[in-house]
Amino acid sequence: MSNLFTYGSLMYPEVWGRVVNGRCRSQCATLRGYVRRKVRGETYPAIIPGAAASCLDGVLYLGITQDELERLDRFEGNYYVRTVVGVLTASGATVDAFAYVLKEEYRHILSPDEWDNEAFEDHGMRRFLSDYCGFDR
């Protein structure tokens, strides 16, 4: 069993449940040393290494099975590499987890703008779900 830190569309149960069974425990967490940027022309973000003081909030899923990791790998595709990171939980503990980090050769697809999760909730979620409906169980 593994842990996964999510920072974009997978933070939302509507998306998570289409990729995996949705039964994993989750909690809010923070990732340091990375920045989250918009992907040009898309509703979802990507993360890349940033300054040590950089931090971003997300959702930590606990107890991910190997089958679920394989589904997540297919969902994320070839642009990302699953990387082990340390995330800080609300209780102050640091937990090792996987995170999908944009590969260096694809950084040109990033906007310089930070991803706005409120805009995703308000406008991007519907588009995202219709574009990525192939992961329904």
Side-chain angles (χ1 to χ4, degrees), residues 44-55:
Y44 56 86
I47 61 171
I48 57 173
S54 301
C55 66

Side-chain angles (χ1 to χ4, degrees), residues 9 13 15 29 50 53 56 58 62 66 72 79 84 91-92 95 104 125 128:
S9 62
V15 177
L56 58 104
L62 305 166
Q66 185 60 38
L72 289 157
Y79 282 71
V84 176
S91 67
V95 175
E104 191 169 343
M125 176 78 75
F128 186 89

Side-chain angles (χ1 to χ4, degrees), residues 43-99:
T43 61
Y44 56 86
I47 61 171
I48 57 173
S54 301
C55 66
L56 58 104
D57 293 328
V59 174
L60 175 65
Y61 289 98
L62 305 166
I64 310 295
T65 66
Q66 185 60 38
D67 178 59
E68 290 167 333
L69 278 176
E70 290 170 8
R71 287 181 63 82
L72 289 157
D73 287 346
R74 287 192 307 275
F75 175 77
E76 293 293 350
N78 293 326
Y79 282 71
Y80 299 87
V81 59
R82 187 170 16 115
T83 304
V84 176
V85 296
V87 296
L88 185 64
T89 67
S91 67
T94 299
V95 175
D96 284 339
F98 289 118

Side-chain angles (χ1 to χ4, degrees), residues 10-133:
L10 286 169
M11 293 191 300
Y12 298 92
E14 301 91 332
V15 177
W16 181 260
R18 289 186 177 205
V19 181
V20 299
N21 67 23
R23 296 186 193 126
C24 299
R25 291 180 298 131
S26 65
Q27 60 184 283
C28 295
T30 301
L31 176 62
R32 297 192 186 281
Y34 286 83
V35 294
R36 175 176 40 208
R37 298 289 181 254
K38 291 179 183 179
V39 173
R40 294 177 197 274
E42 300 292 347
T43 61
Y44 56 86
I47 61 171
I48 57 173
S54 301
C55 66
L56 58 104
D57 293 328
V59 174
L60 175 65
Y61 289 98
L62 305 166
I64 310 295
T65 66
Q66 185 60 38
D67 178 59
E68 290 167 333
L69 278 176
E70 290 170 8
R71 287 181 63 82
L72 289 157
D73 287 346
R74 287 192 307 275
F75 175 77
E76 293 293 350
N78 293 326
Y79 282 71
Y80 299 87
V81 59
R82 187 170 16 115
T83 304
V84 176
V85 296
V87 296
L88 185 64
T89 67
S91 67
T94 299
V95 175
D96 284 339
F98 289 118
Y100 288 95
V101 178
L102 188 67
K103 292 178 182 176
E104 191 169 343
E105 63 263 33
Y106 297 114
R107 290 191 185 165
H108 65 278
I109 70 171
L110 292 179
S111 162
D113 301 322
E114 259 192 63
W115 183 71
D116 182 349
N117 63 312
E118 290 179 13
F120 180 78
E121 292 168 11
D122 293 344
H123 310 291
M125 176 78 75
R126 180 178 297 137
R127 176 179 161 206
F128 186 89
L129 291 174
S130 68
D131 288 352
Y132 296 94
C133 63

